[in-house]
Amino acid sequence: MLWICAVPRSEPPTRRWRRLSGSADKYSSVAAVHRSRLVGILIDTPAARVDEAVEFWLAALGAQPYPAPGEEQFTALIGATPGLFTVVQAVDDAPRYHLDIETDDLQAEVARLIALGAELVTRWKDAFTLRAPGGHLLCVVPVHSDPETFTSSARTWS
Amino acid sequence: MLWICAVPRSEPPTRRWRRLSGSADKYSSVAAVHRSRLVGILIDTPAARVDEAVEFWLAALGAQPYPAPGEEQFTALIGATPGLFTVVQAVDDAPRYHLDIETDDLQAEVARLIALGAELVTRWKDAFTLRAPGGHLLCVVPVHSDPETFTSSARTWS
């Protein structure tokens, strides 16, 4: 089981994201560019140890817990890192961190990162897991930030 | 070789940090409280693959490289993450990420995290490597942020 992607989503994607995330053929007028940003640090933890991990990281970083509704494997550490989601995730694997990149065009961002040398590992729901040159896992996920944060800090790619 | 800690330092620690980082006995008037914050995401990469990793992460995140003077194993990705250092580090080990916590009192912060359940792994220069409950590596390092960033976003512990 490779559940490593997708920071918990506090609200549904905006209409703007839904439109921009369409295929290039369907939305050729807006698909020439897309945007992305580093959005999350995931603390992937063996399920048997996730409670102690959550307790530790909440206290270590002075954060508050936010269990994601309907996605019980995620506990966000609210207030841990301004501008980034920091999340403990229960996994059926060894302890690791991974990073999430959010984007308003999943297919374009995945294609961009693959062109830069990343390899596609798997897809889970609307998140893509890649392995970067050098060996690190990262995920490409839909926009999770509020629109102001995303607009002000995302990079634009053409 | 376990070189995993210490984000590259762009400037020497401030006088305020030097004073606060002293022992509790010596600075009893200010050592009753200390501060810390999550400061860095380290992308620890096998040395043989570090060039391709740096190239990838710079392009993926739209960052500029900053090779740390005198600490050639570190390449900071400037502009990758507002408020955090994001750094590729060459290591003699498997690929992994780790997190850095900066503090104005190393000993107090290490003691706090150990009291929360972390285990001390090693010390390298003025950085301490810990293993968190759940199995993740993190490092405790001196303040690397500018004073305004540290003051505005660090947590205070007593």
Side-chain angles (χ1 to χ4, degrees), chain A residues 38 41 43-46 49 52-53 56-57 59-62 79 81 84 95-99 101 112-113 116 118 132-137 155 157, chain B residues 38 41 43-46 49 52-53 56-57 59-62 79 81 84 95-99 101 112-113 116 118 132-137 155 157:
Chain A
L38 183 62
I41 302 168
I43 303 170
D44 298 330
T45 306
R49 302 195 65 188
E52 59 180 309
F56 170 81
W57 287 103
L61 301 178
T81 320
L84 286 183
R96 64 178 172 231
Y97 302 98
H98 81 265
L99 301 180
I101 291 175
R112 185 181 75 88
L113 297 175
L116 293 174
H136 299 80
L137 289 175
R155 304 278 181 173
W157 313 104
Chain B
L38 182 62
I41 303 167
I43 303 169
D44 298 330
T45 307
R49 301 195 66 188
E52 59 179 308
F56 171 81
W57 286 103
L61 301 178
T81 321
L84 286 184
R96 65 178 172 231
Y97 302 97
H98 81 265
L99 301 180
I101 291 174
R112 186 180 75 89
L113 296 174
L116 292 174
H136 299 81
L137 289 175
R155 304 279 182 174
W157 313 106

Side-chain angles (χ1 to χ4, degrees), chain B residues 21-135:
Chain B
S21 66
S23 70
D25 289 343
K26 193 171 182 181
Y27 301 111
S28 58
S29 63
V30 295
V33 300
H34 75 281
R35 296 173 295 173
S36 71
R37 67 184 286 268
L38 182 62
V39 68
I41 303 167
L42 277 284
I43 303 169
D44 298 330
T45 307
R49 301 195 66 188
V50 77
D51 289 346
E52 59 179 308
V54 167
E55 184 177 7
F56 171 81
W57 286 103
L58 288 172
L61 301 178
Q64 296 296 315
Y66 177 76
E71 294 182 324
E72 289 73 15
Q73 72 272 30
F74 297 111
T75 302
L77 311 178
I78 303 298
T81 321
L84 286 184
F85 290 86
T86 308
V87 182
V88 175
Q89 180 179 200
V91 296
D92 184 17
D93 208 339
R96 65 178 172 231
Y97 302 97
H98 81 265
L99 301 180
D100 274 4
I101 291 174
E102 65 177 352
T103 181
D104 55 11
D105 190 327
L106 286 168
Q107 293 180 349
E109 181 67 1
V110 169
R112 186 180 75 89
L113 296 174
I114 288 175
L116 292 174
E119 296 178 1
L120 180 62
V121 176
T122 189
R123 178 177 184 169
W124 178 67
K125 293 188 174 179
D126 53 3
F128 292 81
T129 302
L130 306 178
R131 190 176 300 280

